[in-house]
Amino acid sequence: MMYSEKVMDHFLNPRNVGEIEDADGVGQVGNAKCGDIMKMYLKIEDGIIKDAKFKTFGCGAAVATSSMATELIKGKTIKEAEMITNKVVMEALDGLPPVKVHCSVLAEEAIAAALQDYKRRNGLLEDDRYEGCQGCCGGCGAQDIRHEPLHDDSDDE
Amino acid sequence: MMYSEKVMDHFLNPRNVGEIEDADGVGQVGNAKCGDIMKMYLKIEDGIIKDAKFKTFGCGAAVATSSMATELIKGKTIKEAEMITNKVVMEALDGLPPVKVHCSVLAEEAIAAALQDYKRRNGLLEDDRYEGCQGCCGGCGAQDIRHEPLHDDSDDE
Amino acid sequence: MQKQIIYFDHAATTYVKPEVFEAMKPYFTEQYGNPSSIYSIGRSNRKAVEDARCSVAKSIGAAESSEIYFTGSGTESDNWAIKGAALALQKKGKHIITSNIEHPAVLATCEFLQKQGYDITYVKVNEEGLVNPDDVDKAIRPDTILVTIMMANNEIGTIQPIKEIAQVCKKHGVLFHTDAVQAAGNIPIDVKDLGVDLLSVSGHKFYGPKGTGMLYIRKGVKIESLIHGGHQERNRRAGTENVPGIVGFAKALELANENMEAHYKKLSSLRDKALKGIMERIPYVRVNGSMEKRLPGNLNLSFRFVEGESVLLMLDMKGIKASSGSACTSGSLDPSHVLLAIGLPHEIAHGSLRLSFGEINTEEEVDYLIDSLDEIISKLRNMSPLYEDFTKGV
Amino acid sequence: MQKQIIYFDHAATTYVKPEVFEAMKPYFTEQYGNPSSIYSIGRSNRKAVEDARCSVAKSIGAAESSEIYFTGSGTESDNWAIKGAALALQKKGKHIITSNIEHPAVLATCEFLQKQGYDITYVKVNEEGLVNPDDVDKAIRPDTILVTIMMANNEIGTIQPIKEIAQVCKKHGVLFHTDAVQAAGNIPIDVKDLGVDLLSVSGHKFYGPKGTGMLYIRKGVKIESLIHGGHQERNRRAGTENVPGIVGFAKALELANENMEAHYKKLSSLRDKALKGIMERIPYVRVNGSMEKRLPGNLNLSFRFVEGESVLLMLDMKGIKASSGSACTSGSLDPSHVLLAIGLPHEIAHGSLRLSFGEINTEEEVDYLIDSLDEIISKLRNMSPLYEDFTKGV
Ligand SMILES: Cc1ncc(COP(=O)(O)O)c(C=O)c1O
Ligand SMILES: Cc1ncc(COP(=O)(O)O)c(C=O)c1O
């Protein structure tokens, strides 16, 4: 279990921690039982993400992926933000240990949940693919095949 | 497997090695298969053991017990020599490792075989308890309950 | 103080004491003979091993040194005791009793046996982490062949009533093994007084070397070997003896025994100081495990609304080395089975911290720990959506 | 020269090389963290272990470092490979093939499995100590789950045709394990080229530390664990990692590999010199094992009419440390099963001597050995009733 320098930096100096009082979209995923909860707040103007903040209960990787995810989506359009998959977050952090991949999945889903909330509030909902992840993504076996780990380390622990 | 100083002394400087050309009694016990052969030569005058010599093929304990046994019986009467059990030889050597106890048994039996040979030559045979040990005494399971090890180390190897 | 290392994880592993290392040293490069060899340098190593065996026997109150068997780890000792008993007694029965707070070395071994057709009963502990001997009594069946209950827990430090459990086992004629890996060197062990049949110890928990362990097997107790081969360890544990390791193991246990009282006093006083300071400064903290029946150096705390790994990483950045109550570090995502067993809800179990004090620690270090924890827990709580909900009264 | 020690028993165990000890040293008293810990000193030990694993993988030509598993001894590796395969494949069958000259670590393990209902076939070796791959081919049955044949023999140094045997096993889809404890460090090992599935090594045979070992498990090969517990060694071999031991093991193997050619040359030249000198001076001597397919440092001789322990003890008194061809030293009274397997009669097997040369040995030491042996064999023959019979023509 070794974190990259980038992960440690985003854990120790997380960007965008906090709440947005008048957020346009809020999403929370994960649950305490599994040890990770991420809550994302988005400020969206003209389809562009003007601000993003988060609160996270979780391990170092959960904090770092939250921090990185909010950084990545700031200034992006909603469409662009939806392209920020767990893989993009992981790559931006120079990778994650195999057992921590699920944290990046959680970050992707937290963004999606916040965006969905925004769309719902604004009557833009096309489908209801995301209902927020209330189960344990990755960790407790609820694997989502769309989310691939960077390395195939299935033999590992 | 640690030999006492006495054992090492009798092994490195064995007393009474050799043959007696005109021996009055000769006995050989053990066999090559088991790794120990002892051959004893006795010179007996007026029922007294005037000289004893041996040749031994075997381990350090086999040589040392042969040496000690010949020392112990020299000058003794036949009756006295017959009292020199394996236990006496072992005690005189300050003990033997459990796995080497059979060597002292062999020494006792070599004396007995030589004495028996003397008696046979002189028509003194009372019984034929000893025919010389052609099997493996102690080592290969042919235990003789008369011969007790000094310590009960049955749990040991 | 950033660069200096403050080590509060002695339950995970300890450094080798300089005296212990000195005792081991000659056996690496100079006195290297194989103890099974017949010649003199082999024989002097045989003597070193046998002297170590006598010393260990004395340290744990064994009747004879021949009851001491050196192994390669505490885990190996646990595996040997349990699988060895299981194989030797399979004709008598296939039922084994253990507790639900054992170390993985015991639990995984029991799970393995379960797959091989054995039946395992897990006795529950109370909210302090204690096994009730009566529960063991009730769990024993005619086909029970072994009870294995740890002497002291590695996460919450709880010390079990081993003597009472041993009496229960004796009454029923059932073998009793105890994993004393955390107990050894920290609290007195007297196998005769305890009345145990089998007892496991690991060297690197009391300032001895890693990769060394010991299994006490009471005279007359027959168990199958785990590692077959040469004649070493009275034909019961094969493999060329790790002479420096064995010498170091014995030396470390010897020192621990001589020093037991002062060690106990020092560690428990540091522990109590830390507890008091933390409780005074930080709200919503819970102590896990019995405070009365507890290893001197163990402190296990749950900080609500935060997650354990984050706490550990931030402590690490401040130079403080501790351990999570959860097994997170080992790659597992489940919270500690021990904390769940004493009734903690998952989210609280996730926020747990184990501090295990040792002989090098000082009061200043404890002060620094208290300050650091205060700062870290605040920071993490401010980042926590659970704390947000709590303060908003959600 | 009486007091000086001349060590010709490197096959029993070696000293730890100073460079190896230096590499190990920091991990005892300074860098002692548990590699499973999350914090930085634990992580740097994790790195030390993983670097060692990479180095070992390179040393034996493994495709990936994840195929390397550290254990507590060569014996443990052998036990793990054989029992692990037996348990994992018991549904497929219960037949195992081995040879009749294996080390006790393999033989005793097979005997244990036999008692558990497995069926063992012992392939015979020829008078040079060589296994014929065709014999393995013929012995394989539909229920064969494992073939285990040692790479090099510990008594007579014979090197087996491992690559050919591996091909036979592959053809039949049967797992193949080789005990390379004597081979490692003495002859090149390339697991990919050899095509083996499992391969055991022990640290203290190539100037590494005692109490360390390694099992190579080819990627994709599934065997049951021998030691269950924590998550170490990718969940397959539990127990806190012996960090200094692992570091020393890897360093020693690395040095051996770098130095292989010079090592081979030096040892075989000392060996050949000894053989020539002894044969010229002493009559009725026999060399055991193939001279062509042989470890460089191994010489195994039978001196007729004398017994091995006596020779050893007298050599010891002259400062020369060697080993008996027989297992006498370990408390057993039977002559070596290896010498019997290559057709020696008991009385000749009893008079055997193993000399195993190492890097510290010199030509002067070999000269002294030849002189000493000449004297000792004469003395013992003069004491021997067998020699008496022989000279008298009985
Ligand atoms: C061929 C062989 N296999 C296995 C072993 C066992 O190794 P260890 O004693 O280090 O466990 C040895 C050496 O003793 C050996 O020579
Ligand atoms: C209670 C307990 N049992 C067993 C073990 C296993 O010991 P080792 O890792 O030395 O094999 C440990 C420590 O890791 C422990 O704390």
Side-chain angles (χ1 to χ4, degrees):
Chain A
M1 243 276 317
M2 278 182 248
Y3 286 138
S4 68
E5 273 179 40
K6 276 244 179 88
V7 172
M8 285 307 289
D9 177 39
H10 275 265
F11 166 63
L12 293 171
N13 311 297
R15 282 60 146 178
N16 315 311
V17 173
E19 306 162 43
I20 299 176
E21 287 298 327
D22 55 343
D24 300 307
V26 179
Q28 179 168 322
V29 297
N31 69 43
K33 204 177 162 200
C34 300
D36 295 298
I37 299 176
M38 288 186 196
K39 191 169 183 181
M40 291 268 177
Y41 300 84
L42 302 181
K43 190 87 207 137
I44 299 177
E45 278 171 32
D46 303 330
I48 289 170
I49 299 168
K50 290 287 176 187
D51 198 8
K53 288 207 181 295
F54 77 92
K55 284 218 167 171
T56 287
F57 162 85
C59 63
V63 173
T65 52
S66 307
S67 167
M68 181 54 89
T70 50
E71 282 288 275
L72 286 172
I73 58 172
K74 265 163 59 173
K76 296 268 191 327
T77 64
I78 293 175
K79 273 248 143 59
E80 284 168 342
E82 282 172 346
M83 312 283 286
I84 309 292
T85 62
N86 77 307
K87 225 166 148 170
V88 176
V89 175
M90 274 207 289
E91 272 162 6
L93 287 167
D94 295 340
L96 283 176
V99 293
K100 296 298 185 181
V101 169
H102 73 287
C103 293
S104 65
V105 174
L106 217 55
E108 175 186 333
E109 288 174 347
I111 296 169
L115 288 174
Q116 195 186 31
D117 181 47
Y118 167 78
K119 288 181 184 170
R120 192 189 295 113
R121 294 191 200 183
N122 293 278
L124 302 169
L125 218 52
E126 294 153 25
D127 59 28
D128 48 27
R129 225 173 16 142
Y130 284 102
E131 268 304 332
C133 173
Q134 293 305 323
C136 284
C137 301
C140 306
Q143 297 282 356
D144 189 325
I145 45 153
R146 286 177 317 120
H147 309 295
E148 300 156 281
L150 275 182
H151 313 282
D152 178 21
D153 242 316
S154 53
D155 226 38
D156 260 340
E157 294 141 315
Chain B
M1 244 276 314
M2 278 180 249
Y3 287 137
S4 69
E5 273 178 40
K6 275 244 181 86
V7 172
M8 284 308 289
D9 176 38
H10 275 265
F11 165 62
L12 292 172
N13 311 298
R15 283 59 148 178
N16 313 311
V17 173
E19 303 164 43
I20 299 176
E21 288 297 328
D22 56 344
D24 300 308
V26 179
Q28 178 169 323
V29 297
N31 69 44
K33 201 176 166 200
C34 300
D36 296 296
I37 299 174
M38 288 185 196
K39 191 168 184 181
M40 292 269 175
Y41 299 84
L42 302 180
K43 190 86 207 135
I44 298 176
E45 276 170 33
D46 303 331
I48 288 170
I49 298 168
K50 289 287 176 189
D51 198 10
K53 289 209 180 293
F54 77 91
K55 285 220 168 169
T56 287
F57 162 85
C59 63
V63 173
T65 53
S66 307
S67 166
M68 181 53 88
T70 51
E71 281 290 274
L72 286 172
I73 59 172
K74 266 163 58 175
K76 297 267 191 323
T77 65
I78 292 175
K79 272 248 143 61
E80 286 168 341
E82 282 171 346
M83 312 283 285
I84 308 293
T85 63
N86 78 305
K87 226 167 149 170
V88 177
V89 175
M90 272 207 290
E91 273 162 6
L93 287 168
D94 295 342
L96 282 176
V99 293
K100 297 296 186 182
V101 169
H102 73 286
C103 293
S104 67
V105 174
L106 217 55
E108 176 186 333
E109 289 175 344
I111 296 168
L115 288 173
Q116 196 187 29
D117 180 48
Y118 167 78
K119 288 180 185 171
R120 191 189 295 111
R121 294 193 199 180
N122 294 280
L124 302 167
L125 219 51
E126 294 152 24
D127 58 28
D128 49 30
R129 222 173 16 141
Y130 284 103
E131 269 304 334
C133 175
Q134 295 303 323
C136 283
C137 302
C140 307
Q143 296 285 354
D144 188 326
I145 46 156
R146 285 176 316 119
H147 310 293
E148 300 156 283
L150 273 182
H151 313 282
D152 177 22
D153 241 317
S154 52
D155 226 38
D156 260 341
E157 295 142 313
Chain C
M1 262 182 110
Q2 179 98 14
K3 286 274 114 150
Q4 205 188 313
I5 282 176
I6 299 177
Y7 191 73
F8 290 136
D9 202 16
H10 292 83
T13 193
T14 55
Y15 57 94
V16 174
K17 277 193 184 168
E19 305 96 294
V20 173
F21 186 53
E22 281 309 311
M24 296 170 68
K25 240 161 115 179
Y27 298 96
F28 288 107
T29 49
E30 294 154 32
Q31 227 178 299
Y32 53 85
N34 191 320
S36 294
S37 295
I38 193 172
Y39 45 72
S40 41
I41 56 166
R43 288 202 303 270
S44 68
N45 276 357
R46 157 77 31 233
K47 188 165 174 337
V49 168
E50 296 316 319
D51 287 351
R53 203 185 306 282
C54 285
S55 156
V56 171
K58 235 176 93 186
S59 294
I60 66 162
E64 294 181 20
S65 69
S66 58
E67 297 174 323
I68 305 299
Y69 296 86
F70 293 112
T71 68
S73 66
T75 301
E76 185 191 324
S77 298
D78 284 341
N79 273 258
W80 182 11
I82 299 170
K83 293 178 192 167
L87 271 177
L89 300 172
Q90 56 183 322
K91 293 231 171 74
K92 191 194 156 199
K94 291 194 157 195
H95 180 233
I96 294 171
I97 298 168
T98 187
S99 84
N100 60 353
I101 62 160
E102 296 296 312
H103 188 271
V106 169
L107 290 180
T109 301
C110 288
E111 280 158 27
F112 164 75
L113 287 175
Q114 197 156 21
K115 273 189 255 155
Q116 307 297 315
Y118 288 78
D119 191 11
I120 317 289
T121 297
Y122 297 88
V123 169
K124 286 198 177 66
V125 296
N126 70 9
E127 68 286 351
E128 291 208 306
L130 285 161
V131 170
N132 186 339
D134 288 344
D135 291 345
V136 175
D137 199 5
K138 280 178 218 140
I140 291 177
R141 314 188 311 212
D143 63 336
T144 305
I145 51 174
L146 178 74
V147 172
T148 172
I149 306 278
M150 70 201 314
M151 188 159 179
N153 184 267
N154 46 305
E155 294 188 24
I156 57 175
T158 312
I159 299 168
Q160 302 297 342
I162 293 303
K163 192 171 173 172
E164 289 71 22
I165 300 171
Q167 277 160 358
V168 166
C169 293
K170 200 166 182 186
K171 189 178 78 183
H172 292 279
V174 171
L175 274 190
F176 180 44
H177 166 250
T178 189
D179 172 345
V181 168
Q182 288 289 334
N186 287 313
I187 55 172
I189 294 178
D190 184 323
V191 289
K192 274 206 305 294
D193 180 57
L194 290 173
V196 298
D197 298 306
L198 300 153
L199 180 139
S200 303
V201 174
S202 179
H204 68 103
K205 306 285 187 184
F206 47 82
Y207 311 94
K210 294 178 174 62
T212 64
M214 186 275 288
L215 182 63
Y216 161 80
I217 307 179
R218 197 166 52 71
K219 195 176 178 164
V221 170
K222 301 279 177 227
I223 62 173
E224 178 62 80
S225 292
L226 179 69
I227 300 183
H228 294 86
H231 293 281
Q232 295 91 351
E233 299 297 294
R234 296 160 66 86
N235 277 330
R236 295 174 88 165
R237 196 271 185 182
T240 303
E241 294 90 342
N242 177 2
V243 184
I246 287 169
V247 167
F249 179 98
K251 180 74 181 173
L253 195 57
E254 212 173 292
L255 290 175
N257 259 41
E258 284 168 12
N259 192 31
M260 183 80 70
E261 221 169 310
H263 171 89
Y264 193 99
K265 227 167 167 170
K266 171 166 187 174
L267 267 55
S268 53
S269 118
L270 289 174
R271 192 256 322 271
D272 294 345
K273 179 181 161 77
L275 176 60
K276 188 157 168 285
I278 291 166
M279 294 306 248
E280 277 170 12
R281 296 266 291 275
I282 309 175
Y284 315 119
V285 181
R286 185 202 136 103
V287 191
N288 301 312
S290 164
M291 275 316 289
E292 195 195 332
K293 290 180 178 146
R294 190 184 199 102
L295 290 175
N298 175 287
L299 190 54
N300 191 300
L301 302 169
S302 293
F303 299 92
R304 283 188 65 190
F305 320 121
V306 303
E307 194 272 343
E309 189 202 286
S310 294
V311 179
L312 284 186
L313 282 175
M314 289 201 173
L315 282 172
D316 187 23
M317 287 303 117
K318 290 183 173 292
I320 298 173
K321 316 302 171 186
S323 167
S324 168
S326 96
C328 175
T329 51
S330 59
S332 151
L333 297 161
D334 302 327
S336 151
H337 69 286
V338 176
L339 298 180
L340 297 180
I342 61 170
L344 261 65
H346 275 72
E347 65 268 31
I348 297 181
H350 272 299
S352 299
L353 179 73
R354 178 185 72 182
L355 296 159
S356 45
F357 301 91
E359 299 192 6
I360 34 161
N361 296 140
T362 64
E363 306 229 335
E364 291 69 45
E365 289 177 343
V366 170
D367 285 329
Y368 178 68
L369 166 74
I370 296 166
D371 288 344
S372 304
L373 264 179
D374 190 6
E375 185 192 321
I376 289 168
I377 300 298
S378 292
K379 183 173 174 184
L380 287 171
R381 282 187 179 158
N382 281 334
M383 217 190 278
S384 168
L386 292 174
Y387 190 62
E388 182 186 320
D389 292 350
F390 177 76
T391 49
K392 287 182 181 158
V394 178
Chain D
M1 260 182 114
Q2 179 98 15
K3 285 275 112 147
Q4 205 189 311
I5 283 177
I6 299 177
Y7 190 73
F8 290 135
D9 202 17
H10 292 83
T13 193
T14 55
Y15 56 94
V16 173
K17 276 193 184 170
E19 304 96 292
V20 172
F21 187 54
E22 281 308 312
M24 297 169 70
K25 240 161 114 179
Y27 298 96
F28 287 106
T29 50
E30 295 155 31
Q31 226 178 301
Y32 52 85
N34 190 318
S36 294
S37 295
I38 192 174
Y39 44 72
S40 41
I41 58 166
R43 288 203 302 270
S44 67
N45 276 357
R46 156 79 28 233
K47 188 167 175 333
V49 169
E50 296 316 319
D51 287 351
R53 201 185 307 283
C54 285
S55 155
V56 172
K58 233 177 96 187
S59 294
I60 65 162
E64 294 182 20
S65 70
S66 58
E67 297 174 322
I68 305 299
Y69 296 86
F70 293 112
T71 68
S73 67
T75 301
E76 184 191 325
S77 299
D78 284 341
N79 273 259
W80 182 11
I82 298 169
K83 293 178 192 167
L87 271 176
L89 300 172
Q90 57 183 323
K91 293 231 171 73
K92 190 195 157 197
K94 291 193 155 198
H95 180 234
I96 293 171
I97 297 168
T98 187
S99 84
N100 61 353
I101 62 162
E102 298 296 312
H103 187 271
V106 168
L107 289 179
T109 301
C110 288
E111 279 158 27
F112 164 76
L113 286 175
Q114 197 156 21
K115 273 189 258 157
Q116 306 299 316
Y118 288 78
D119 191 11
I120 317 288
T121 296
Y122 298 88
V123 169
K124 286 198 177 67
V125 296
N126 69 8
E127 68 285 349
E128 291 209 307
L130 285 162
V131 170
N132 185 339
D134 288 345
D135 290 345
V136 175
D137 199 6
K138 280 179 218 137
I140 291 178
R141 314 188 311 213
D143 63 337
T144 305
I145 51 174
L146 178 73
V147 172
T148 173
I149 306 279
M150 70 203 312
M151 189 157 177
N153 184 268
N154 47 304
E155 294 189 25
I156 56 174
T158 311
I159 299 169
Q160 301 298 341
I162 293 304
K163 191 170 175 174
E164 288 70 23
I165 299 171
Q167 277 160 358
V168 167
C169 292
K170 200 165 182 188
K171 189 178 77 183
H172 292 278
V174 171
L175 274 191
F176 179 43
H177 166 250
T178 189
D179 172 345
V181 168
Q182 289 290 334
N186 287 312
I187 54 171
I189 295 178
D190 184 324
V191 289
K192 275 206 304 292
D193 179 56
L194 289 173
V196 298
D197 298 305
L198 300 153
L199 179 139
S200 302
V201 174
S202 179
H204 68 103
K205 306 285 186 183
F206 47 83
Y207 310 94
K210 293 179 174 62
T212 65
M214 186 275 289
L215 183 63
Y216 160 81
I217 307 179
R218 197 165 53 70
K219 194 174 179 167
V221 170
K222 301 281 177 227
I223 62 173
E224 178 62 79
S225 292
L226 179 69
I227 299 184
H228 294 86
H231 292 282
Q232 295 90 351
E233 300 297 294
R234 299 161 65 87
N235 277 329
R236 296 174 87 165
R237 197 272 185 180
T240 303
E241 295 89 341
N242 176 2
V243 183
I246 287 169
V247 167
F249 179 98
K251 179 76 183 173
L253 196 55
E254 212 173 291
L255 289 175
N257 258 41
E258 285 167 12
N259 193 31
M260 184 79 73
E261 219 168 311
H263 171 89
Y264 193 98
K265 224 166 169 171
K266 171 166 187 173
L267 266 55
S268 53
S269 117
L270 289 174
R271 193 257 323 271
D272 294 344
K273 179 182 162 76
L275 176 61
K276 188 158 168 285
I278 291 166
M279 293 306 247
E280 276 171 11
R281 297 266 290 275
I282 309 174
Y284 314 119
V285 182
R286 185 200 135 104
V287 192
N288 301 312
S290 163
M291 277 313 292
E292 195 196 332
K293 291 181 178 145
R294 190 182 198 103
L295 290 174
N298 175 287
L299 189 55
N300 190 301
L301 302 169
S302 295
F303 298 91
R304 283 187 67 188
F305 319 121
V306 304
E307 193 271 344
E309 189 201 286
S310 295
V311 180
L312 285 187
L313 283 174
M314 290 202 170
L315 283 172
D316 187 22
M317 289 302 119
K318 292 184 171 291
I320 298 173
K321 314 304 169 186
S323 168
S324 167
S326 94
C328 176
T329 51
S330 59
S332 153
L333 296 162
D334 302 328
S336 153
H337 67 286
V338 177
L339 298 181
L340 297 180
I342 61 169
L344 261 64
H346 275 71
E347 65 267 31
I348 297 181
H350 273 299
S352 299
L353 178 73
R354 179 185 72 184
L355 297 159
S356 46
F357 301 92
E359 298 192 6
I360 35 161
N361 295 140
T362 63
E363 304 229 337
E364 291 69 44
E365 288 178 345
V366 170
D367 286 329
Y368 178 68
L369 166 74
I370 296 165
D371 288 344
S372 304
L373 264 180
D374 189 6
E375 185 191 321
I376 288 168
I377 300 299
S378 291
K379 183 172 173 184
L380 286 172
R381 282 188 179 157
N382 282 334
M383 218 188 279
S384 168
L386 292 175
Y387 190 61
E388 181 185 323
D389 290 351
F390 177 76
T391 48
K392 288 184 181 157
V394 178

